[in-house]
Amino acid sequence: MRDATYVGLRTDGTRILRPKSPHLQVYDMLQITSGMSIGSRITGCAWTVGLLLMVWWLAAAASGPAAFANVQWFMSSFLGMLVLFGLSAAAWFHTLAGLRHLAWDFGYGCDMPAVHRTGRIVLIATAVMTVLTWLVAIIAWA
């Protein structure tokens, strides 16, 4: 196993081993705390993909009907819908996990039972809100 530290310097110039963070060697993937942390980072990166899709959509809308039709074709394809569904799940997870972290910043829910409980709540709420979002969207499209 690789050492999970790096050599750093104290303010007086002496060398010290410091932990690397985040790194996967310290995470136990079966712990909800680790999974939620990694999930929050992944969904943050997924937002970058969503931003690129939005820029593509806006640029196509500004370019004219043919370019916009191409984007709309992709977004309405099975793959496009799958990407949009995943982005909506990422949006809800990242938002709810962010609210959880905001509560921690105010000192609420920092004990381990509350951390585990709110982690499960975020996961369940993500699933519920994603499905509700798509139900509303489907009803609006119909």
Side-chain angles (χ1 to χ4, degrees):
M1 178 184 284
R2 192 168 60 102
D3 191 20
T5 58
Y6 72 95
V7 177
L9 296 176
R10 290 191 174 139
T11 54
D12 64 1
T14 58
R15 293 167 55 105
I16 185 173
L17 290 178
R18 298 194 182 275
K20 291 180 184 175
S21 181
H23 58 92
L24 295 178
Q25 289 113 344
V26 300
Y27 287 117
D28 177 3
M29 299 302 175
L30 298 178
Q31 287 181 332
I32 193 164
T33 51
S34 298
M36 295 294 288
S37 176
I38 292 168
S40 187
R41 295 167 202 272
I42 290 170
T43 55
C45 292
W47 270 113
T48 304
V49 173
L51 180 64
L52 292 173
L53 285 174
M54 186 178 79
V55 168
W56 180 36
W57 183 75
L58 289 172
S63 297
F68 189 70
N70 288 334
V71 175
Q72 289 297 92
W73 172 84
F74 173 75
M75 293 297 183
S76 63
S77 70
F78 178 76
L79 179 61
M81 291 295 231
L82 194 61
V83 168
L84 291 173
F85 184 84
L87 283 172
S88 62
W92 280 114
F93 180 87
H94 200 72
T95 300
L96 295 170
L99 291 172
R100 179 177 178 233
H101 277 267
L102 185 61
W104 290 348
D105 290 341
F106 285 101
Y108 299 109
C110 295
D111 57 296
M112 287 312 289
V115 168
H116 287 228
R117 183 176 60 255
T118 57
R120 287 188 297 273
I121 288 170
V122 166
L123 291 173
I124 293 167
T126 295
V128 169
M129 295 307 293
T130 301
V131 169
L132 284 176
T133 298
W134 277 82
L135 284 175
V136 167
I138 290 168
I139 290 169
W141 286 331

